Amino acid sequence: MTPLPSPLCEADRTLLASYHRFLPSEVFDIHAHLYDPDHFGPGAWAAFQPLGRLGCAEHRAYLRRSMPGCATVHGLYFGLPERTGERVAINAEVAWEVASGGSPLSRALLLASPEDAPDTVATALRGGRYVGLKVYHCYAPRPDTQHARVEEYAPGWMWELLEETRGILMLHLVCDGALADADNQRDLRHLCRRYPNVRLILAHVARSFNYRTVRKGLASIADLDNAFIDTSAICEAETFRTALRMLGPRRILWGSDFPVSELRGRCVTMGQAFYWLHPETTAAPPSARASHFPLVGMESLVTLCEAAEDCGLTEGDMADLFLHNALRTLAPHLPESAVPTEPSGPELWSAARAVISGGTGLLSKRAEMFDPRAWPTCFSRARGCDVWDMAGRRYADFAGGIGAVFLGYGDEAVDAAVRRRILLGNYASLVNPQERVLAERLLALHPWAGKVRYARGGGEAMAVAVRIARAATGRSGVVFCGYHGWHDWYLAANLGDCTALDGHLLPGLNPKGVPRELAGTSTPFVYNDLASLKAAIARHEGNLAAVVMEPMRSQWPHGRFLEQAAALCRAAGAVWVVDEITAGLRFGTPGALARLGAEPDLAVYAKAFGNGYPFGAVVGREAVMAGADESFISSSYWTDGIGTAAALAVLEQVEKTGASQVVWKQGERMQRAMREIAARHPACAFTVGGMPASPSTTFALGADAPLAKALYPRKMAARGYLVGGVCYLMLAHGEGVISRFLEVLDEVLGELAEAISHGRLEAEAGVPRQEAGFVRLA
């Protein structure tokens, strides 16, 4: 074994003490070079010549010096690229070393050039000695290889071979901007989509030695599921923080860049360039060099661990970075037993059911509401309009966070506002000043209103509104239509007159646990039915506190229905409460009432206003809101800063992007297209309703409807789309995503129609014919 060049210096030991606790005991180095000086001419890779020959054993020995707790080291090995190097000998040496000295899971890449004979490369890949190719710009057929386009050194025939063999392509980007370069972005997007079975690893975080490169360019590959990055030799924590924020911990693979890792120094960002600092290139006095310059590999490790700590990564995330991600990426070339697996969606749902009442806190997220046989259940990450399940599979999400996310998951501006709030403190004994700022903003959007109250969810915000109405009027009766939450005031409507059994005026919602003494305090009416509303009001004659309703949901108000409803309410001396929780921002800004031109006494908001962060608000007339001061309505976490900061940022983004109008117009086009598709498959009886920003879908198949309802999301999910009974559109749903969704919908309805026509629906669905669920009465 080649002796170590020198003991660890003081700087090394200081860094080691700061990061060793983050490292797992087993690691997979996805970027490790093997080296034999005899394969290169004089002066080539001169920095490594004093180290002598470096094989798998030397790699492990050197690595354990920087990572002393790692008992097991695997590697993806390849030769050092150099134009005059003897590549045939280099590749042979790497294959021999991995076979004879590597760990059982270690694998080799073939160092390849566009000048190679495709048949020779094909034989090497098909033979199993190599799991893919390492390409490098120095082999590009041009004088200035630092400006080579991707296909100049990784031509199409290489991609085709790797597509066939499901191989790895280790790629070092060039051009001044690396991944921020527009040509590189276009090339990578085109090639990754054309060759989806190629596992592309972009070395050095897509050569982001300058962290500004990754900040500008990484979003361009975020939706390419077969593109990964490795961490090799990066020494900027901001590069890693950006990568973790944009890609999450599942698409980042740790690499050492051995033997570059054994040099002393680090790479730094300066302007739009980067510079390598080494003892030999600085003005430091000779006596300081050994103690002040740690190993490059250690600098890279500590900055990665600092970024992981900043981002709150867990022990499991670190195991992914250092081991599991590499095993998953190399899965086609490893024993099945070596590749980490995740429980299936149904298994996860069963486990959740065992420890969480109802499986989850939101009825609408339960697997039974979609497809109990195959629903993915849990997500590992969400960004834009995409959701990744626990196995890392990406779905375009048209269930839209069950309506709570409007801009898109992880909206940069909203998340930035929340990060600022966390930085300054989310909660304290004093009041968060953004509460007042947001209240002023909300009141400016509601000229008829005088005061605001906050909550942290739609259901409790509605309970606050009903309490305010009761306090303001001194009465208790409530009439309503639509869905307004889980609280006692609402479910009291399902308490029947019979002492033996509870009535079910709202099928699917059980009032068990609601005091029977509340029977008769709440009465539902039917939307767009004035006679129904009048009858409900009459039941509370002299004791009506509020008329509660959504402005619209699945249908438009007929004629002057809203005005007439408001007039009947106020004639009875009650408070008109409009629930904009689902409609807010989605149907207009600030809500559907802006589109309909009505002014209530109280308006209630949540869902889209927080864009995934807990938030609720009641906006009301001065005289009515005075009732809040005469009743005890108070909660600690109604004053947390995160929901307030998020809502302010959401409003700003909606104003800046015109999101309400954009999403509505997208929805109009989508809804028309969905109806055209439904007409092509009449056997499905697929009905498209609702509002453009949230089209609803049903199968008018009678007793067979639950079968189609389960099979539909299953088939859509198999193609990478999450759907439910309502398609909640987000600003992040671009035209391309919607167009592809419509193509897939056409395919799926075609398959369902065939199953229905041939009597196979029940067998394929594999679920029981269940009763219809909750009816909203709107």
Side-chain angles (χ1 to χ4, degrees):
M1 180 185 295
T2 302
L4 299 178
S6 63
L8 295 181
C9 69
E10 180 183 348
D12 295 328
R13 289 190 293 271
T14 300
L15 287 186
L16 179 58
S18 69
Y19 69 72
H20 73 89
R21 69 187 185 279
F22 291 96
L23 307 180
S25 60
E26 182 178 4
V27 300
F28 200 118
D29 187 347
I30 204 70
H31 192 123
H33 301 277
L34 300 184
Y35 170 73
D36 187 333
D38 292 341
H39 296 150
F40 299 92
W45 299 110
F48 305 134
Q49 288 184 0
L51 302 180
R53 184 181 176 280
L54 300 173
C56 294
E58 286 73 29
H59 167 251
R60 288 193 296 271
Y62 278 66
L63 215 58
R64 285 171 179 154
R65 183 174 63 155
S66 301
M67 309 170 76
C70 294
T72 306
V73 176
H74 313 288
L76 181 62
Y77 296 103
F78 40 93
L80 281 163
E82 206 273 334
R83 185 68 187 174
T84 62
E86 300 173 9
R87 278 188 302 106
V88 173
I90 291 170
N91 286 328
E93 180 80 6
V94 168
W96 180 86
E97 265 291 332
V98 172
S100 60
S103 74
L105 299 182
S106 293
R107 295 295 185 267
L109 295 181
L110 183 77
L111 192 59
S113 162
E115 299 170 356
D116 291 337
D119 289 347
T120 301
V121 175
T123 299
L125 292 175
R126 292 167 183 159
R129 296 182 75 195
Y130 306 94
V131 299
L133 305 178
K134 164 63 180 175
V135 296
Y136 204 67
H137 68 88
C138 68
Y139 300 122
R142 60 183 293 165
D144 183 9
T145 66
Q146 284 285 355
H147 290 89
R149 294 280 293 271
V150 170
E151 288 190 85
E152 289 186 79
Y153 55 103
W157 63 263
M158 290 185 182
W159 290 81
E160 289 172 6
L161 287 174
L162 293 171
E163 176 74 7
E164 173 198 330
T165 58
R166 300 184 69 189
I168 305 294
L169 180 63
M170 179 68 70
L171 182 69
H172 179 111
L173 287 173
V174 287
C175 298
D176 292 339
L179 192 54
D181 179 84
D183 287 336
N184 278 339
Q185 291 178 9
R186 280 191 294 269
D187 291 345
L188 292 178
R189 293 190 63 78
H190 165 70
L191 291 164
C192 283
R193 293 200 179 282
R194 184 174 181 181
Y195 303 104
N197 288 324
V198 176
R199 313 292 179 95
L200 174 67
I201 301 176
L202 295 170
H204 319 298
V205 190
R207 209 200 73 177
S208 295
F209 294 110
N210 182 307
Y211 72 80
R212 296 184 179 109
T213 298
V214 74
R215 287 172 64 93
K216 292 178 182 177
L218 195 56
S220 68
I221 66 162
D223 62 337
L224 301 177
D225 297 333
N226 56 334
F228 305 84
I229 57 174
D230 78 31
T231 68
S232 55
I234 293 295
C235 301
E236 299 272 24
E238 179 57 24
T239 298
F240 292 134
R241 281 192 291 266
T242 301
L244 287 167
R245 187 168 66 249
M246 291 190 176
L247 298 183
R250 280 291 190 96
R251 285 172 60 188
I252 303 173
L253 298 82
W254 172 72
S256 70
D257 204 8
F258 176 80
V260 173
S261 57
E262 305 312 309
L263 301 177
R264 293 198 174 276
R266 67 172 294 162
C267 191
V268 298
T269 294
M270 190 171 295
Q272 301 305 311
F274 60 85
Y275 297 90
W276 280 97
L277 302 181
H278 300 294
E280 297 79 14
T281 61
T282 69
S287 61
R289 287 176 184 169
S291 60
H292 287 183
F293 285 84
L295 297 171
V296 169
M298 285 190 158
E299 277 285 354
S300 183
L301 277 169
V302 75
T303 52
L304 174 61
C305 292
E306 286 168 350
E309 190 172 31
D310 292 345
C311 294
L313 265 58
T314 65
E315 185 176 326
D317 294 329
M318 298 305 284
D320 282 341
L321 288 174
F322 282 96
L323 176 64
H324 296 152
N325 292 344
L327 298 176
R328 294 185 188 103
T329 305
L330 291 168
H333 310 282
L334 297 177
E336 187 176 345
S337 59
V339 181
T341 58
E342 297 285 349
S344 68
E347 289 171 336
L348 288 166
W349 182 238
S350 178
R353 277 283 201 183
V355 294
I356 302 172
S357 175
T360 185
L362 181 64
L363 173 67
S364 299
K365 280 191 178 183
R366 293 179 183 179
E368 293 87 355
M369 302 298 287
F370 300 93
D371 171 28
R373 284 194 60 185
W375 192 245
T377 297
C378 295
F379 75 97
S380 62
R381 184 168 172 265
R383 191 167 187 84
C385 65
D386 293 329
V387 169
W388 287 259
D389 67 15
M390 298 305 292
R393 181 171 184 191
R394 181 169 60 94
Y395 303 86
D397 185 5
F398 280 82
I402 321 300
V405 177
F406 181 59
L407 299 174
Y409 299 117
D411 181 82
E412 287 288 345
V414 178
D415 284 359
V418 170
R419 286 195 298 270
R420 175 190 177 275
R421 187 67 266 164
I422 293 172
L423 177 69
L424 299 176
N426 173 51
Y427 191 90
S429 301
L430 300 182
V431 174
N432 168 19
Q434 287 183 308
E435 290 187 24
R436 176 188 56 78
V437 176
L438 177 59
E440 291 172 350
R441 184 74 182 274
L442 290 171
L443 292 175
L445 291 170
H446 300 80
W448 50 268
K451 287 289 190 302
V452 172
R453 273 271 175 160
Y454 297 122
R456 285 300 174 264
E460 63 181 14
M462 280 305 310
V464 168
V466 170
R467 172 73 70 83
I468 290 172
R470 284 172 166 168
T473 61
R475 302 171 181 176
S476 60
V478 178
V479 301
F480 66 88
C481 83
Y483 170 67
H484 305 289
W486 63 276
H487 289 76
D488 287 358
W489 77 265
Y490 180 66
L491 283 185
N494 273 13
L495 294 169
D497 296 329
C498 176
T499 58
L501 296 172
D502 292 323
H504 288 285
L505 300 174
L506 296 169
L509 294 183
N510 197 319
K512 285 185 178 179
V514 178
R516 191 172 299 281
E517 291 80 1
L518 294 179
T521 58
S522 294
T523 304
F525 68 92
V526 178
Y527 189 81
N528 270 333
D529 187 336
L530 279 176
S532 172
L533 173 58
K534 289 176 182 178
I537 290 175
R539 291 187 59 179
H540 298 273
E541 185 176 358
N543 191 39
L544 183 65
V547 172
V548 179
M549 61 186 297
E550 292 176 287
M552 60 186 191
R553 174 178 284 272
S554 59
Q555 54 185 301
W556 290 88
H558 294 165
R560 298 176 57 248
F561 175 71
L562 286 183
E563 296 173 42
Q564 292 169 320
L568 288 170
C569 170
R570 288 164 177 155
V575 175
W576 189 35
V577 182
V578 174
D579 176 351
E580 293 260 34
I581 291 169
T582 295
L585 299 182
R586 185 172 295 282
F587 293 174
T589 303
L593 290 177
R595 185 180 295 275
L596 299 172
E599 295 181 351
D601 301 313
L602 297 176
V604 184
Y605 297 96
K607 287 189 183 293
F609 268 74
N611 201 57
Y613 290 102
F615 177 76
V618 180
V619 181
R621 296 183 186 276
E622 186 87 45
V624 176
M625 292 294 284
D629 297 328
E630 300 170 5
S631 178
F632 180 65
I633 305 173
S634 178
S635 180
S636 296
Y637 282 106
W638 289 348
T639 64
D640 92 293
I642 287 178
T644 311
L648 274 168
V650 167
L651 285 173
E652 184 174 341
Q653 286 298 97
V654 168
E655 181 179 333
K656 184 183 299 183
T657 62
S660 299
Q661 294 75 27
V662 171
V663 172
W664 189 271
K665 289 179 180 178
Q666 285 179 334
E668 287 178 328
R669 291 191 290 270
M670 178 174 163
Q671 207 172 33
R672 283 195 300 269
M674 291 175 73
R675 287 174 175 143
E676 291 169 4
I677 291 168
R680 291 200 289 270
H681 307 285
C684 294
F686 187 69
T687 303
V688 181
M691 294 296 150
S694 54
S696 60
T697 59
T698 56
F699 291 90
L701 295 171
D704 285 345
L707 307 180
K709 182 185 174 186
L711 198 53
Y712 165 57
R714 187 184 310 163
K715 286 180 175 292
M716 293 293 289
R719 291 164 167 83
Y721 292 82
L722 295 182
V723 297
V726 179
C727 291
Y728 287 106
L729 294 186
M730 300 182 280
L731 184 64
H733 284 128
E735 285 298 325
V737 177
I738 292 175
S739 295
R740 178 59 185 147
F741 166 84
L742 294 169
E743 293 173 8
V744 170
L745 176 66
D746 199 7
E747 294 173 12
V748 166
L749 291 185
E751 291 183 6
L752 287 174
E754 186 176 351
I756 292 167
S757 299
H758 291 83
R760 300 196 311 265
L761 185 62
E762 184 173 11
E764 288 192 28
V767 297
R769 290 182 170 89
Q770 300 171 335
E771 292 184 6
F774 163 50
V775 177
R776 291 179 178 266
L777 303 182

